[in-house]
Amino acid sequence: MAVLVTGYGMVPRGYLWFNTVFVPTPFREGPVTHTLFMLHKIACAILASLAALHIFAAIKHQIASRGDLLKRMF
């Protein structure tokens, strides 16, 4: 949710949603958008880390625990 909210707030001029509908944003370029951009980068890094951790945990359970976790997923 943090990635979505900060991503929306950091764009200073609005954007086209699916290249059809213009979505205005609440802030003009300045200190607020720069802060939101920094928070967005941090939130993206945390999200990517959690996704990688999730993948490694699934592999660990498959290999080290010798379970059938991946087989049950598919």
Side-chain angles (χ1 to χ4, degrees):
M1 188 68 151
V3 173
L4 177 67
V5 172
T6 57
Y8 169 72
M10 74 177 190
V11 178
R13 290 177 295 281
Y15 57 93
L16 283 175
W17 188 53
F18 291 109
N19 221 10
T20 57
V21 178
F22 181 75
V23 179
T25 51
F27 308 110
R28 299 219 181 267
E29 188 167 357
V32 174
T33 56
H34 293 291
T35 302
L36 287 172
F37 178 65
M38 292 303 296
L39 290 173
H40 184 72
K41 288 193 329 185
I42 292 168
C44 285
I46 291 170
L47 181 62
S49 299
L50 288 173
L53 182 65
H54 189 79
I55 291 167
F56 289 134
I59 292 170
K60 180 260 178 200
H61 281 284
Q62 180 67 28
I63 294 173
S65 301
R66 299 197 184 264
D68 60 345
L69 178 71
L70 295 177
K71 187 177 179 183
R72 288 185 289 153
M73 292 168 98
F74 298 102

